[in-house]
Each structure stands twice: as C-alpha cells, then as structure tokens.
Amino acid sequence: MNKKVLLVGESWTSTTMEVKGFNSFLSSKYETGLGWIDHAIEAAGYELVYMPNHLATEEFPFTADKLQDYSCVILSDVGADTLLIPPKTFSGSQKFPNRCQLVKDYVLRGGSLFMVGGYMTFSGIGGQGKWWSTPIQDILPVTLLPWDDRMEHCEGVVPQITEPNHPVFRNISGEIPAILGYNKCTIKPEAEEIATICGDPFLAFARYGEGKSGILSTDCAPHWAPPEFCNWTGYNTLFKNILDYLTQ
C-alpha cells in the first residue's frame, strides 16, 4: 500500500483591475504551483492528497487520528493563520483544537513534516507566514526569523551541497541549479544541514521524538524556482529521496 503524503498550500487567487479610459473592470483567476512537486511525489510511488489553501482552512485535520493517515505532511506557501484561524472561529468565536500543536504532536509520535519555502511559509512576505510563533517552530530543524525573511536574488544563486554522501543526494550528480530567492533562517544545533545557500540553510533535517522534519528554504515552483530548477533532471530524485528519508 502506498504511503500517503498531504501537500498543503501552493494555491492562490489573483485579481486584476484593468482601466480603459473612462471604464474599468476586475477579473480574477485561481492558480496553483502544481506541475512539479506533485508529479515528483507521485513518480516516487507515494499517494498524493492535495489540499489547496482555501480548503485547508476547514479541511486540514482537527484530530490527531486524522493526521495519522499520512506518512508526511508538506507545508508549501501556506501561512500559519490558515491553520490557526478556522472560519467558524473568525466569524463565530468558536473554539477548535490548535492544528499547529496537532502537527507537532504528530511528528513527536512518529510522523514527518517537510516545509517548503515561499512567500507564506517560514515568515515570508511582511512576516505573514508567522510559523515562528507556533508549536511547529519547536519541531523544525531551523529557527525561523520573526520578520520578513525573504532573500530575493534575481541574479540567481547556487546552493552548495555540504554533505554529498547524505541519502537525500543519492543518485544526484553535479550541482543544484541556481534559484532566485529563499527564506533566511538559522540552523539548530541538533539538525543535519546538508546544503546551504549564501551561507544560510537550504536543506536541513532533524529528529524530534519518534518522527522527523525537514526544510527546503526555497520554493518548489516559480518564481524562486526557475525553469532550470523545476525541469532539472535531479528534481524528482531529490524529492523522492527527501520523502524516503523522512518516512523511513
């Protein structure tokens, strides 16, 4: 039976205003960052359950038992408020379990968590990601910064592999392609830092309780991940190795 992976985030709605002389109008579109990481997860033999941001507010599990259905939870470009403020809490002041605490408990009991960088993970744009203030900070291999942590590099910067013999780099040769930005953070003493970017953590892992967690401090899709990264021959292999390592 395939292991199930819950991918949360990687979606957004864009609204555009067009002004044409006297007249103006709005148009909206829904988009996702799928097309790469989802294919990599499925190609690795895992069962993918995708939960976009607008559904995660209500559908992300509210019980530990439901989380146990998954071998790994991936948070990608989704802010902490999506889990911390259920719609009925915001509109009706109803109480619900803290789902960030549930994720922490899930890892301590043997689950695995992987956080992918972006404008709404780590701390992100304007600090709105806000994961540093949640129990999830306790079970990440890095310490998140409590402010806008984005490092934009339109010139492109190349990650440096520091532990080439690590299982995550099995069957990967050469260097990782340049990326266009990442979330700055600091490595924890107990963590494995296996790749860096501009001297900061790029790929890192740690054990907490019976489970594991990991981070990739850049995105898995544009804009930080340009075509050279997304279409890199090692992309699928890297994510397969990450999932295999986390779910062993």
Side-chain angles (χ1 to χ4, degrees), residues 3-247:
K3 295 179 180 178
K4 291 173 69 174
V5 174
L6 177 61
L7 172 61
V8 185
E10 280 302 324
S11 70
W12 59 93
T13 300
S14 302
T15 301
T16 301
M17 172 180 279
E18 295 192 32
V19 179
K20 300 184 177 182
F22 180 85
N23 301 100
S24 65
F25 64 91
L26 298 175
S27 62
S28 300
K29 61 179 177 179
Y30 170 74
E31 299 178 275
T32 73
L34 299 184
W36 298 279
I37 189 172
D38 50 316
H39 292 171
I41 292 168
E42 292 174 335
Y46 291 82
E47 180 183 346
L48 172 65
V49 177
Y50 175 53
M51 189 176 292
N53 281 308
H54 67 284
L55 296 182
T57 56
E58 291 190 273
E59 294 185 7
F60 191 91
F62 282 97
T63 66
D65 287 346
K66 289 291 186 181
L67 272 178
Q68 294 299 328
D69 291 344
Y70 303 101
S71 297
C72 185
V73 174
I74 300 177
L75 301 173
S76 185
D77 221 355
V78 53
D81 283 342
T82 298
L83 301 190
L84 289 172
I85 312 176
K88 290 181 181 179
T89 297
F90 186 73
S91 63
S93 297
Q94 295 186 29
K95 294 179 181 178
F96 289 90
N98 185 324
R99 290 181 286 184
C100 292
Q101 182 64 49
L102 288 179
V103 172
K104 176 181 175 180
D105 295 341
Y106 157 79
V107 170
L108 295 177
R109 293 170 183 164
S112 61
L113 171 70
F114 192 62
M115 182 174 283
V116 179
Y119 271 36
M120 281 294 160
T121 30
F122 291 68
S123 284
I125 189 165
Q128 291 185 69
K130 213 176 70 175
W131 291 102
W132 65 271
S133 66
T134 76
I136 285 176
Q137 169 65 99
D138 300 337
I139 44 90
L140 288 177
V142 294
T143 299
L144 308 181
L145 306 180
W147 50 73
D148 192 320
D149 58 5
R150 294 170 303 129
M151 304 297 291
E152 300 285 354
H153 285 279
C154 60
E155 76 280 12
V157 286
V158 177
Q160 302 298 310
I161 297 174
T162 55
E163 298 291 340
N165 295 323
H166 194 276
V168 165
F169 294 124
R170 185 182 294 117
N171 299 323
I172 292 176
S173 58
E175 63 182 21
I176 301 171
I179 51 102
L180 302 178
Y182 66 96
N183 298 96
K184 188 178 180 70
C185 53
T186 59
I187 197 73
K188 289 182 180 177
E190 68 270 20
E192 303 175 281
E193 185 180 52
I194 66 171
T196 62
I197 186 74
C198 300
D200 298 319
F202 182 74
L203 268 168
F205 300 89
R207 290 181 178 272
Y208 292 100
E210 299 298 318
K212 287 182 184 176
S213 70
I215 62 98
L216 172 68
S217 63
T218 195
D219 208 338
C220 59
H223 83 277
W224 278 353
E228 294 80 6
F229 182 87
C230 291
N231 300 324
W232 170 46
T233 56
Y235 184 101
N236 282 10
T237 303
L238 179 65
F239 278 99
K240 178 186 186 304
N241 291 346
I242 288 170
L243 288 172
D244 289 348
Y245 184 66
L246 286 172
T247 62

